Amino acid sequence: MKRILAICIAGVFSGGALAADLMQTYRDALANDARFAAARAQYEAGREKVVQGRAGLLPQVGLAADTTWTDPDYKPDLGGRSQSFNSNGYGVQLTQPLFRWQNWVQFKQGELQTALSATQFGLARQDLVLRVAEAYFNVLNAQDVLAAVTQLRTAAAEQLELAKTSFEVGTVTITDVHEAQSRFDLASAQEIAAQNQLEVARQSLAQVIGKQPEPLAGLREGVALQRPQPEAIADWVAAAESGSFGVQAQQLAREIAAREVERARAGHLPTVDIVASHGVDTRPQVAVDRVEATTIGLQLNMPLYAGGRVSSVSREAAALRMKADADLEDARRSAALAARQSWLGVTSGLAQIRALEAARVSSMSALEANKLGYEVGVRINIDVLNAQTQLADTLQQLSRARYDTLLAQLRLKAAAGTLGEDDVAAINALLTP
């Protein structure tokens, strides 16, 4: 257990040559993440929609053949010939649509559906970046928490030993020993929980990258995080309302729904096709036992009444278009809210980091002052223990604030629809080389 703990703590502070960085982890996820693989397959399937829609505008060619055995009940004397006979026929037919408005609308829908698949795939790629970054930083944060509580446990053990020694010589009471023992036991429990949380975080990352993660490169100490550019929240909200992949997807879905109304109403319109055929029929018992013919012409079909189905489908499509309008508005509002939340997450996170960095310095100074005061008798054991706990809590909050701010930066880019591999590379540059 001590060896495992040492390895975990070493991973927090060292960025050795074997450490995997965020970019490498992202590329592993591109190759191995099951959810992204499903999105890729869905995108490949969606690309076929334009091909399927175009097929309704192209010629349709079919081959048909038949054979029929005839054995009549009435059999006149045919001079010894058999009255039964077998007739055969085969032919090929070509149909070229000239006017089928619903087919043209379906072709346009196919183009939109293929574009929608591409947009959804872009959304899946952004989601992968966020999931990789979140899982990666959760591991780093779990390592930082483990390092902090291990340091707290070590300090509590030293304080417990000092309290026991002081009690033996009569300079402190048994209460000091009990307090130190309580803090040591609590720190030990926290260490076990931190070890478990680290393992959970590592397995969550493994789920995304498809393998057990290597030691990870950590965030450089003292690295300065930048404010979002542009700094105005209104600019990010406007960009999200128009550029978010979620908004783009709903815009395409709305256009598809509008086309569906047009396609449904086309059920009232006539259709005109060019029909050409060539066929051969053989009938041994007739005067002309072989007929071969080629035909070409126009075919008009005019729907008159279909039991009210066309009107019903049209009303259904119109209602679904209204739903698509509402979904688009909801997507815009959601994108705007996500941009606001992420922008505030970045700006408030930066302020929180500055405050916690100052608190870390103050907590370290307070701990040293309480240790010195305890040695000279002006402070009691509980003061030192409280200072140690405060320092550990500050270190954990500072670690979490840094990672949350980095994630908020990525989420802000995602809300605006601009999150990509360049943003992964930019954060990767902040890690230990």
Side-chain angles (χ1 to χ4, degrees):
M1 179 62 71
K2 291 182 177 179
R3 181 174 179 272
I4 296 175
L5 180 58
I7 293 175
C8 293
I9 297 175
V12 180
F13 300 103
S14 64
L18 296 179
D21 58 15
L22 182 61
M23 181 60 72
Q24 179 182 337
T25 305
Y26 170 66
R27 288 171 179 163
D28 289 339
L30 280 175
N32 300 314
D33 179 59
R35 193 185 305 179
F36 185 71
R40 185 189 294 112
Q42 184 65 43
Y43 169 60
E44 293 297 330
R47 293 174 62 182
E48 300 300 323
K49 292 296 184 181
V50 66
V51 179
Q52 296 168 12
R54 186 169 58 242
L57 305 178
L58 300 179
Q60 309 295 312
V61 181
L63 176 66
D66 66 86
T67 180
T68 304
W69 174 257
T70 303
D71 187 10
D73 293 336
Y74 173 69
K75 300 180 180 180
D77 184 9
L78 297 179
R81 291 185 299 167
S82 172
Q83 294 86 4
S84 302
F85 63 92
N86 189 64
S87 60
N88 300 296
Y90 60 89
V92 62
Q93 178 173 296
L94 179 146
T95 302
Q96 171 61 60
L98 288 183
F99 180 79
R100 291 198 177 203
W101 189 246
Q102 59 268 42
N103 289 18
W104 175 257
V105 174
Q106 190 170 2
F107 168 61
K108 290 299 182 180
Q109 281 183 313
E111 292 181 328
L112 292 170
Q113 288 167 337
T114 296
L116 177 59
S117 296
T119 301
Q120 291 171 335
F121 185 60
L123 183 61
R125 186 180 288 272
Q126 281 197 159
D127 177 68
L128 181 66
V129 173
L130 294 176
R131 288 190 293 114
V132 168
E134 184 174 8
Y136 188 97
F137 291 141
N138 281 344
V139 173
L140 294 186
N141 184 69
Q143 290 176 345
D144 291 346
V145 170
L146 179 57
V149 297
T150 300
Q151 181 181 357
L152 177 62
R153 179 181 180 276
T154 301
E158 294 174 354
Q159 198 65 27
L160 174 60
E161 186 63 28
L162 181 60
K164 288 179 178 179
T165 303
S166 300
F167 176 71
E168 291 175 356
V169 299
T171 57
V172 300
T173 66
I174 190 62
T175 302
D176 295 279
V177 178
H178 290 165
E179 288 173 345
Q181 183 68 54
S182 174
R183 292 302 178 90
F184 174 77
D185 294 338
L186 179 60
S188 299
Q190 292 175 338
E191 185 181 47
I192 294 172
Q195 290 171 351
N196 292 338
Q197 186 58 41
L198 174 58
E199 182 59 25
V200 170
R202 286 177 57 82
Q203 293 306 315
S204 297
L205 180 58
Q207 181 183 5
V208 178
I209 64 176
K211 62 180 182 180
Q212 289 299 314
E214 304 171 9
L216 303 180
L219 192 64
R220 293 203 308 269
E221 181 63 29
V223 65
L225 305 183
Q226 304 299 320
R227 290 181 61 84
Q229 297 297 328
E231 291 195 18
I233 188 173
D235 294 334
W236 287 100
V237 170
E241 288 177 336
S242 60
S244 166
F245 275 107
V247 173
Q248 293 180 40
Q250 286 301 328
Q251 286 174 332
L252 290 168
R254 178 188 178 278
E255 184 63 26
I256 292 171
R259 295 277 183 174
E260 185 62 23
V261 174
E262 190 176 358
R263 190 171 77 91
R265 290 174 178 171
H268 292 294
L269 302 178
T271 63
V272 180
D273 302 326
I274 294 178
V275 180
S277 64
H278 179 81
V280 176
D281 287 320
T282 60
R283 297 182 180 181
Q285 295 293 3
V286 298
V288 181
D289 61 357
R290 187 177 189 275
V291 177
E292 183 172 354
T294 299
T295 64
I296 184 170
L298 292 178
Q299 180 174 294
L300 170 69
N301 287 300
M302 181 65 190
L304 296 179
Y305 181 67
R309 182 181 183 279
V310 176
S311 298
S312 176
V313 171
S314 298
R315 292 193 297 270
E316 177 189 20
L320 291 176
R321 182 183 60 184
M322 294 177 63
K323 175 183 179 299
D325 290 338
D327 288 340
L328 175 58
E329 180 61 26
D330 180 66
R332 285 175 176 154
R333 294 178 183 179
S334 297
L337 177 60
R340 289 188 175 94
Q341 290 176 330
S342 300
W343 189 89
L344 293 172
V346 175
T347 54
S348 63
L350 292 173
Q352 188 178 15
I353 289 172
R354 288 193 296 270
L356 288 171
E357 286 175 342
R360 178 182 59 179
V361 175
S362 300
S363 297
M364 294 175 66
S365 300
L367 177 58
E368 294 301 322
N370 276 281
K371 283 183 176 180
L372 180 60
Y374 180 74
E375 292 175 359
V376 299
V378 297
R379 290 291 183 181
I380 59 176
N381 191 45
I382 191 63
D383 294 327
V384 178
L385 295 173
N386 287 337
Q388 291 171 344
T389 302
Q390 180 179 338
L391 176 59
D393 290 342
T394 301
L395 292 175
Q396 294 177 52
Q397 292 180 42
L398 176 58
S399 172
R400 184 73 269 176
R402 285 172 173 167
Y403 301 132
D404 284 346
T405 302
L406 288 173
L407 284 173
Q409 288 180 337
L410 295 177
R411 292 192 178 103
L412 182 59
K413 292 290 188 71
T418 60
L419 179 62
E421 193 167 310
D422 291 343
D423 300 295
V424 179
I427 291 185
N428 196 67
L430 304 178
L431 305 179
T432 54

